[in-house]
Amino acid sequence: MYPWSSSSYGGQAPSSSFPRTMPNGLDDQEKLLAEAVGLARKQAFQMNHFLDKERMLDSLKCASTMLTELRTSVLSPKSYYELYMAVTNELCHLELYLSEKSDKKTDLYELVQYSHTIVPRLYLLITVGIVYIKKDSTLKRSILKDLVEMCRGVQHPLRGLFLRNYLLQCTRNILPDVMVAEDEHEGNVYDAIDFVLTNFAEMNKLWVRMQHQGHSSEKTRREKEREELKILVGTNLVRLSQLESATLETYQRLILPGILEQVVSCRDAIAQEYLMECIIQVFPDEFHLQTLDPFLKSCAQLETGVNVKNIIISLIERLAAYNQRSGKTSGNAIDAIIPEEVELFEVFSVQVANIVQTRMDMPLEDTISLQVALLSLAQKVYPDRVDYVDKVLGTTAQILHRMNMNNISHLLSVNQELSRLLRICIDFYNNALTIIQLSNFCPLLEKFDYTSRKSLALYLVMNILDNETLVTTADQADSLLTIITPLIKDDETNKDNAVVAADAEEFAEEQGVVARFIHLMRSEEPDMQYKMLQAARKHLGNGGGPRLKHVLPPLVFAAYQLAFKYKAIAEQDENWDKKCQKIVQYCHSTISALAKADLADLALRLYLQGALVIGEIGYTNHETVAYEFMTQAFSLYEDEISDSKAQLAAITLIMSTFEQMSCFGEENAEPLRTNCALAASKLLKKPDQCRGVVACAALFWSGKQNGEEMRDEKRTLDCLKKGARIASQCLDTGVQVQLYVELLNHYLFYFERGNSLITVAMLNQLIAKVNEELPNLEPSEETKQIESHYKNTLAHIRSRMESNDSTLEVSFAGITLN
């Protein structure tokens, strides 16, 4: 019997009875760990002492006793790891001594196998075996095989995992890493692969076995412990990836099949998910590219609890990053370096479809996430292949169709993934014209509920605006307007959820975005521009009153601009006249739609703008059409506008528009002037009447007759006198004084411009009237404004009186200011 097998040897004999259950408290764990580490260090001290005295057998006895502490079953994985590190650090001293001092007379490899317990025996066997290999490389092949097989003797999960990890760590620098060795007994890379794969398979079995030990109530604790130990198993894969002689062919034929066989057969979700992720992370991208099929087929065979989505997404992201990182840059684009024979997208597309079909338990949002990853792959590796992106969208639409998923609520998580899918397309291309080339974009968009479709439509329009994407054809305009229908039309399936219920400010902002988009529909060809306007009118005309006031005016102004464009090319296009008439008809019908939608004020302004445009373009029959636009504006004024302030603003606008127009003959101009004067005199409130009538004076002064200003002094003065007469009828002194001050300014205006019927006496009379009434006004903010206005007027008169400017048409002499 060898010395360390006797309990009579001095020092504390190891205890063979360990508690069977693991203490739960942290304090208990710390106490047990401290006790075990203390005993181990005591034996380590004795071991080193005997090594110094070159007492080999005694030191081995102490080492065996120290290693006996690793037989414990009461420590948690974390505590056991600390004990393991303390013990194995001490074993390094033994290994160093044996490497330097051991002789060939003593067969230590056989000697240590007589240790009375298996855990110490195997740790010593590994330590001695490594020494033997370093001294004689011809023993490498046989000892490695012997060691990995001998470790099967420990089947306790925790002890077995750390034992095999010790074996892996000790052999990391001595594994044979050549294709052909000088001596066959030294082994080659295939022996190293066989060694690591065997060790990996056994460690994985031990790791999985942990899940099935103990009571079911401790499942959560066991899973946490397994999480702490997973790196021990994964280290085997790291070691395989570090074998420099392992070629792609070796990886395809031996390494990957061996790993995948173990992963699939272990039937443990935790192990499968971790190990598949390990394969992705530790092996080179070039290897992954050539082994996609077997890897992805294995994904379909994994347990139902495995999150296959994360595994595939991780692989896709890694390969896409590899392509971008290693690809040659040409301009802003990156040339793909993926070998042509590797149809990366096709392989992933087929295998992902297979996985989705096989794993019926996969949540729909995970399925969509896989499609998002596929889309990202297509865009990053094949940026020019729009058909790949369209294929992903089509596949997604088919999946939803098979599951009868329609009108998907914006509250569902699957909606968020689907939205991400479409937003990625929009963000990647940054060109809405590319989006409309995707034939499956719209069918997929139709699967959303109204709220989601509106949100995506707004996202697309904002992208168009940010990138200033010009829409140049009617087909493009029609396609884009179809996509953004939720922005320009209410939800027909839910009439109660109308615009009225929406937040007014947010709604106005959305419609403002649509209006800005309309201005990006521009074509160099006027005829195509007109077709785009027609297409837009067709889509936007059904939006209802709240929308029409935002989206139709841009169409009208775009049409007016187009009319000027036709005018500019009149010499090149002999039909420009007829085309202008069509545009005017288009504008007229569009403005009529606004009028019918109770938007009289807006329609009136657009009619007046149209009259100005028509008068300026001057195509055939333009006078009649301009007159029609003016009469339409008058009709709206008379029939639809009832508020007194709005009436004054409207009639003033009508008069100012008419005053600028020179296209009317006297036959049409006179009725318009008369109607303006009549409408002004019929305003309800006297102050409004006064201001309206005075404004009419401009029609008879600077209004056009036969293309020139009328300068009708008498009728101009009549309007001013009538205004003064109406002002005198106001009972409110403050309002009356204010009107007199305004009248004084109007009299001065025409006086300066040479109206000979306006005399200095008339001006003095108005000044005297204001001087008489102004002091009687009660102090107020309005009174201050009147006084300020009057002072400025007098200051103007005074400056004219003191001026020596010979260009003045009239003399201000004789005006009494005080």
Side-chain angles (χ1 to χ4, degrees):
M1 183 180 289
Y2 288 90
W4 63 78
S5 299
S6 171
S7 60
S8 62
Y9 182 80
Q12 184 173 348
S15 173
S16 60
S17 59
F18 289 99
R20 293 289 181 183
T21 59
M22 187 182 296
N24 292 323
L26 283 175
D27 293 340
D28 292 339
Q29 281 290 311
E30 291 177 1
K31 182 178 179 182
L32 289 169
L33 175 62
E35 182 180 346
V37 171
L39 291 172
R41 284 176 176 165
K42 183 177 180 181
Q43 293 301 319
F45 177 80
Q46 291 290 336
M47 178 189 73
N48 289 319
H49 174 72
F50 288 130
L51 288 175
D52 291 339
K53 294 183 177 293
E54 297 187 1
R55 294 167 58 179
M56 175 74 71
L57 295 181
D58 291 335
S59 64
L60 288 175
K61 163 65 179 176
C62 292
S64 177
T65 307
M66 174 183 70
L67 288 164
T68 303
E69 297 301 324
L70 292 175
R71 293 177 58 227
T72 181
S73 302
V74 297
L75 294 178
S76 67
K78 185 178 179 182
S79 299
Y80 191 92
Y81 171 74
E82 292 186 35
L83 176 61
Y84 165 84
M85 290 302 295
V87 171
T88 52
N89 283 339
E90 297 298 338
L91 276 182
C92 291
H93 299 298
L94 177 62
E95 181 188 341
L96 183 62
Y97 176 84
L98 295 176
S99 298
E100 295 175 352
K101 300 292 181 70
S102 63
D103 53 32
K104 294 184 178 179
K105 296 179 181 179
T106 306
D107 188 356
L108 293 176
Y109 192 71
E110 181 182 352
L111 183 66
V112 295
Q113 295 186 43
Y114 289 97
S115 178
H116 60 279
T117 52
I118 193 167
V119 172
R121 183 190 314 153
L122 290 174
Y123 272 99
L124 288 173
L125 192 64
I126 293 168
T127 306
V128 173
I130 299 304
V131 172
Y132 270 51
I133 291 173
K134 288 180 178 179
K135 287 192 172 185
D136 185 358
S137 60
T138 59
L139 299 174
K140 184 182 293 186
R141 184 175 187 178
S142 58
I143 290 180
L144 286 177
K145 186 172 183 179
D146 191 35
L147 290 177
V148 77
E149 292 298 331
M150 291 281 279
C151 285
R152 294 180 191 270
V154 178
Q155 289 297 312
H156 183 278
L158 189 61
R159 296 197 288 266
L161 278 170
F162 277 96
L163 172 65
R164 287 188 172 276
N165 182 66
Y166 180 67
L167 171 63
L168 196 64
Q169 295 299 327
C170 288
T171 56
R172 67 181 179 273
N173 294 323
I174 62 171
L175 289 175
D177 195 6
V178 292
M179 294 299 294
V180 180
E182 295 180 2
D183 187 327
E184 64 175 349
H185 296 294
E186 292 182 4
N188 54 34
V189 71
Y190 298 113
D191 295 309
I193 292 171
D194 182 62
F195 170 82
V196 179
L197 282 177
T198 303
N199 195 58
F200 162 69
E202 292 301 320
M203 288 185 78
N204 190 46
K205 290 174 185 176
L206 293 170
W207 187 43
V208 171
R209 193 178 302 155
M210 290 183 69
Q211 187 70 28
H212 308 290
Q213 291 186 333
H215 198 271
S216 59
S217 62
E218 297 178 334
K219 179 183 177 183
T220 304
R221 179 177 63 82
R222 287 199 301 273
E223 289 180 352
K224 183 181 178 183
E225 289 176 352
R226 289 190 65 195
E227 187 70 21
E228 294 171 348
L229 294 170
K230 66 183 182 182
I231 193 172
L232 300 181
V233 184
T235 305
N236 289 277
L237 304 188
V238 175
R239 198 69 68 242
L240 284 169
S241 70
Q242 292 171 341
L243 294 173
E244 294 180 0
S245 298
T247 63
L248 172 60
E249 185 271 336
T250 309
Y251 178 76
Q252 289 175 306
R253 186 168 56 88
L254 296 175
I255 298 177
L256 184 63
I259 297 172
L260 292 179
E261 180 186 2
Q262 181 57 222
V263 171
V264 174
S265 63
C266 75
R267 305 182 65 80
D268 179 79
I270 295 175
Q272 288 178 339
E273 187 165 339
Y274 169 68
L275 293 173
M276 294 298 272
E277 185 67 36
C278 271
I279 294 172
I280 294 170
Q281 298 304 327
V282 303
F283 290 104
D285 299 304
E286 294 83 356
F287 287 11
H288 292 317
L289 286 172
Q290 302 295 338
T291 55
L292 287 175
D293 265 333
F295 182 87
L296 293 173
K297 284 177 181 176
S298 297
C299 288
Q301 302 172 32
L302 300 181
E303 293 297 296
T304 55
V306 177
N307 193 332
V308 177
K309 174 199 74 171
N310 288 347
I311 295 172
I312 295 177
I313 289 176
S314 178
L315 179 58
I316 288 175
E317 288 178 348
R318 171 149 187 176
L319 293 179
Y322 164 70
N323 181 72
Q324 290 188 309
R325 183 176 63 252
S326 306
K328 296 179 180 178
T329 304
S330 56
N332 294 326
I334 295 178
D335 297 333
I337 63 161
I338 306 296
E340 291 184 6
E341 67 271 14
V342 180
E343 296 180 347
L344 193 60
F345 178 81
E346 293 295 342
V347 172
F348 269 108
S349 183
V350 171
Q351 294 300 337
V352 165
N354 182 42
I355 289 168
V356 170
Q357 192 171 358
T358 305
R359 301 179 69 87
M360 303 300 294
D361 60 309
M362 182 181 287
L364 181 57
E365 50 266 35
D366 284 3
T367 303
I368 303 302
S369 294
L370 286 176
Q371 300 302 318
V372 171
L374 264 180
L375 182 75
S376 179
L377 175 72
Q379 291 175 339
K380 291 178 179 177
V381 180
Y382 307 101
D384 298 328
R385 295 295 298 269
V386 179
D387 57 316
Y388 282 170
V389 174
D390 200 31
K391 183 177 180 180
V392 174
L393 299 181
T395 303
T396 308
Q398 290 173 10
I399 292 170
L400 297 175
H401 179 72
R402 282 201 304 268
M403 300 183 70
N404 199 26
M405 294 286 289
N406 293 301
N407 200 33
I408 301 171
S409 171
H410 60 282
L411 301 174
L412 298 177
S413 57
V414 67
N415 184 293
Q416 297 174 3
E417 287 298 315
L418 282 169
S419 296
R420 191 157 71 95
L421 187 70
L422 297 184
R423 287 172 192 262
I424 287 173
C425 292
I426 296 170
D427 290 336
F428 178 77
Y429 291 115
N430 277 332
N431 188 336
L433 304 184
T434 306
I435 297 298
I436 60 179
Q437 293 176 26
L438 302 171
S439 59
N440 291 299
F441 188 90
C442 284
L444 187 57
L445 185 63
E446 290 301 316
K447 298 291 183 181
F448 290 85
D449 65 356
Y450 177 78
T451 302
S452 301
R453 281 187 284 122
K454 186 169 79 167
S455 174
L456 286 166
L458 184 62
Y459 193 81
L460 177 61
V461 177
M462 290 303 299
N463 183 273
I464 293 172
L465 297 178
D466 291 343
N467 294 284
E468 297 184 354
T469 306
L470 292 182
V471 182
T472 56
T473 70
D475 289 339
Q476 292 173 356
D478 187 68
S479 299
L480 287 172
L481 288 166
T482 300
I483 292 176
I484 68 169
T485 296
L487 272 180
I488 57 182
K489 193 176 180 181
D490 287 335
D491 183 9
E492 294 180 355
T493 61
N494 187 5
K495 296 292 186 181
D496 296 332
N497 187 27
V499 177
V500 183
D503 179 76
E505 194 172 320
E506 181 181 344
F507 175 77
E509 186 176 343
E510 289 173 359
Q511 298 309 304
V513 168
V514 177
R516 289 168 59 198
F517 164 61
I518 292 169
H519 290 295
L520 288 174
M521 294 193 295
R522 296 200 297 267
S523 174
E524 295 297 325
E525 296 292 328
D527 291 348
M528 181 57 72
Q529 178 74 22
Y530 180 64
K531 289 179 181 178
M532 283 198 291
L533 293 178
Q534 285 182 310
R537 175 73 176 82
K538 180 181 175 182
H539 283 275
L540 300 172
N542 300 321
R547 285 185 171 84
L548 294 183
K549 67 178 181 180
H550 295 284
V551 297
L552 290 192
L555 285 180
V556 175
F557 279 99
Y560 289 156
Q561 289 176 341
L562 181 58
F564 280 113
K565 188 180 289 187
Y566 275 119
K567 171 71 172 178
I569 62 169
E571 294 181 1
Q572 290 86 25
D573 190 346
E574 59 183 16
N575 294 320
W576 76 274
D577 191 282
K578 293 180 180 178
K579 291 175 180 178
C580 283
Q581 291 182 42
K582 280 188 176 181
I583 292 172
V584 171
Q585 290 173 359
Y586 170 89
C587 294
H588 190 279
S589 64
T590 305
I591 299 171
S592 297
L594 288 169
K596 290 174 183 177
D598 296 328
L599 298 167
D601 183 66
L602 181 57
L604 181 142
R605 291 171 180 271
L606 291 174
Y607 273 130
L608 294 176
Q609 185 66 44
L612 286 171
V613 171
I614 294 165
E616 193 170 340
I617 292 175
Y619 63 91
T620 304
N621 205 30
H622 69 283
E623 181 181 350
T624 304
V625 179
Y627 185 80
E628 171 66 18
F629 270 62
M630 290 297 295
T631 55
Q632 288 292 339
F634 262 115
S635 297
L636 288 173
Y637 165 77
E638 293 171 351
D639 300 337
E640 303 295 338
I641 299 176
S642 56
D643 181 73
S644 57
K645 286 186 178 180
Q647 283 184 330
L648 177 61
I651 194 61
T652 304
L653 198 60
I654 291 172
M655 288 189 287
S656 62
T657 301
F658 177 60
E659 186 263 340
Q660 297 176 61
M661 299 184 67
S662 58
C663 66
F664 294 119
E666 191 59 24
E667 180 183 352
N668 289 323
E670 185 58 32
L672 290 174
R673 280 193 291 266
T674 304
N675 274 328
C676 286
L678 187 61
S681 64
K682 288 185 176 181
L683 290 170
L684 179 63
K685 296 180 179 180
K686 291 295 182 181
D688 293 343
Q689 278 186 27
C690 175
R691 293 185 174 102
V693 169
V694 169
C696 281
L699 299 180
F700 300 103
W701 184 260
S702 53
K704 309 302 184 292
Q705 187 178 44
N706 298 323
E708 296 182 0
E709 293 186 357
M710 289 183 65
R711 299 281 176 160
D712 189 332
E713 296 182 350
K714 181 178 182 305
R715 296 177 75 175
T716 300
L717 180 59
D718 288 344
C719 289
L720 296 178
K721 285 182 176 180
K722 188 172 182 180
R725 189 163 58 253
I726 295 171
S728 67
Q729 296 171 5
C730 292
L731 298 179
D732 189 323
T733 309
V735 173
Q736 189 180 63
V737 174
Q738 185 177 4
L739 291 174
Y740 280 139
V741 174
E742 292 175 12
L743 273 167
L744 176 59
N745 279 272
H746 281 285
Y747 269 91
L748 283 169
F749 176 82
Y750 294 108
F751 175 73
E752 287 186 28
R753 277 154 184 75
N755 190 330
S756 59
L757 298 181
I758 298 176
T759 63
V760 171
M762 293 177 184
L763 298 176
N764 284 335
Q765 188 178 358
L766 275 172
I767 293 171
K769 189 67 175 175
V770 175
N771 287 338
E772 179 184 344
E773 298 292 346
L774 190 57
N776 300 328
L777 298 182
E778 294 181 2
S780 67
E781 192 64 33
E782 291 181 357
T783 302
K784 288 182 180 179
Q785 291 178 2
I786 295 170
E787 289 176 346
S788 177
H789 189 187
Y790 183 54
K791 286 179 181 178
N792 290 337
T793 304
L794 294 181
H796 172 73
I797 295 172
R798 189 174 290 111
S799 70
R800 285 288 187 263
M801 292 173 68
E802 297 172 354
S803 173
N804 295 322
D805 190 354
S806 59
T807 60
L808 290 177
E809 297 182 14
V810 293
S811 172
F812 281 77
I815 297 179
T816 306
L817 298 182
N818 297 321

